[in-house]
Structure formats: C-alpha cells, structure tokens
Amino acid sequence: RKPNGQELDVLEKQVRRHLERYRTNPQDAHQLIQLGESKPEPKFDAIELATYTLLASTMLKMDETLTRN
C-alpha cells in the first residue's frame, strides 16, 4: 500500500536528514554502501544510494511489511 500522509511526512524527513548527514560526512555514505555481498555500481551517487538504502530498510521494518493482517 502507499504510505498515508503522516507516514509520508516521516519518510520525507528521514530522507532529508540522511541526505544532510551524508553530504556533511560522505565517508559515512561510502562505508554504508560497502556493506553486504553486492558492491554498488560506481555510476551511482554514494550519498543518494546510502540515503535510499536506509529509507528502504525503514520501510521493510514496518509492522505491515513483517506481518499481514
């Protein structure tokens, strides 16, 4: 399902917060995207990739993703 208004606000704030953090500390973004088995494509911006990696993680941890009503 699509996020409701309140959920969308939270997700948008999270994106802005992570973008700000990684623009200030790009080495943190590079460190995050090196985790895991697959390595990122060099053509992708590390700051955006790290930001959206955390956003996806947040969405996948939502109760509705974990359990179905």
Side-chain angles (χ1 to χ4, degrees), residues 3-67:
N4 65 34
Q6 182 180 7
E7 293 167 334
L8 191 55
D9 287 343
V10 169
L11 295 173
E12 288 174 345
K13 285 178 187 176
Q14 180 182 10
V15 167
R16 286 192 300 272
R17 188 175 70 240
H18 290 311
L19 282 173
E20 181 180 326
R21 172 189 173 195
Y22 290 133
R23 285 179 181 142
T24 303
N25 300 294
Q27 70 278 3
D28 291 348
H30 288 279
Q31 187 176 7
L32 174 67
I33 64 173
Q34 293 304 315
L35 296 174
E37 291 183 26
S38 62
K39 298 304 172 201
E41 290 284 333
K43 65 182 177 183
F44 295 126
D45 179 71
I47 291 168
E48 286 189 19
L49 186 56
T51 295
Y52 289 108
T53 296
L54 292 179
L55 179 66
S57 177
T58 297
M59 294 174 73
L60 290 171
K61 290 179 184 176
M62 295 177 75
D63 286 340
E64 284 190 24
T65 304
L66 300 174
T67 60

